[in-house]
Coordinates of all heavy atoms in Angstrom, one line a residue:
S619 N 101.3 101.4 63.0 CA 101.4 101.0 61.7 C 101.6 99.5 61.6 O 100.9 98.8 60.8 CB 102.5 101.7 61.0 OG 102.6 101.3 59.6
R620 N 102.5 98.9 62.4 CA 102.7 97.5 62.5 C 101.5 96.8 63.0 O 101.1 95.7 62.6 CB 103.9 97.2 63.4 CG 105.2 97.8 62.9 CD 105.6 97.2 61.6 NE 105.5 95.7 61.6 CZ 105.0 95.0 60.6 NH1 104.4 95.6 59.5 NH2 104.9 93.7 60.7
L621 N 100.8 97.4 63.9 CA 99.5 96.8 64.5 C 98.5 96.6 63.4 O 97.9 95.5 63.3 CB 99.0 97.7 65.6 CG 97.6 97.2 66.2 CD1 97.8 96.0 67.0 CD2 97.1 98.4 67.2
N622 N 98.3 97.6 62.6 CA 97.3 97.5 61.5 C 97.7 96.5 60.5 O 96.8 95.7 60.0 CB 97.0 98.9 60.9 CG 96.0 99.7 61.7 OD1 94.8 99.5 61.7 ND2 96.6 100.6 62.5
E623 N 98.9 96.4 60.2 CA 99.5 95.4 59.2 C 99.2 94.0 59.8 O 98.8 93.1 59.1 CB 100.9 95.7 59.0 CG 101.6 94.7 58.0 CD 100.9 94.7 56.6 OE1 100.4 95.8 56.2 OE2 100.9 93.7 55.9
T624 N 99.4 93.9 61.1 CA 99.2 92.6 61.7 C 97.7 92.2 61.7 O 97.4 91.0 61.4 CB 99.7 92.6 63.2 OG1 101.1 92.9 63.2 CG2 99.5 91.2 63.8
V625 N 96.8 93.1 61.9 CA 95.4 92.9 61.8 C 95.0 92.4 60.4 O 94.3 91.4 60.3 CB 94.6 94.1 62.2 CG1 93.1 93.9 61.9 CG2 94.7 94.5 63.6
A626 N 95.6 93.0 59.4 CA 95.3 92.6 58.0 C 95.9 91.2 57.7 O 95.2 90.3 57.1 CB 95.8 93.6 57.1
Q627 N 97.0 91.0 58.2 CA 97.7 89.7 58.0 C 96.9 88.6 58.6 O 96.6 87.5 58.0 CB 99.1 89.7 58.6 CG 100.2 90.2 57.7 CD 101.5 90.1 58.4 OE1 101.7 89.7 59.5 NE2 102.6 90.4 57.6
V628 N 96.5 88.7 59.9 CA 95.8 87.7 60.6 C 94.4 87.4 60.0 O 94.1 86.3 59.8 CB 95.6 88.1 62.1 CG1 94.6 87.2 62.8 CG2 96.9 88.1 62.8
D629 N 93.7 88.5 59.5 CA 92.5 88.2 58.8 C 92.6 87.4 57.6 O 91.9 86.5 57.3 CB 91.8 89.6 58.5 CG 91.0 90.2 59.6 OD1 90.6 89.4 60.5 OD2 90.9 91.4 59.7
A630 N 93.7 87.8 56.8 CA 93.9 87.0 55.6 C 94.2 85.6 55.8 O 93.8 84.7 55.2 CB 95.0 87.7 54.8
Y631 N 95.1 85.3 56.9 CA 95.4 83.9 57.2 C 94.2 83.1 57.7 O 94.1 82.0 57.4 CB 96.5 84.0 58.3 CG 97.9 84.4 57.7 CD1 98.7 85.1 58.6 CD2 98.3 84.0 56.5 CE1 100.0 85.5 58.1 CE2 99.6 84.4 56.0 CZ 100.4 85.2 56.8 OH 101.6 85.6 56.3

Side-chain angles (χ1 to χ4, degrees):
S619 184
R620 296 300 308 134
L621 176 66
N622 278 281
E623 180 62 30
T624 301
V625 172
Q627 277 184 351
V628 169
D629 276 335
Y631 288 144

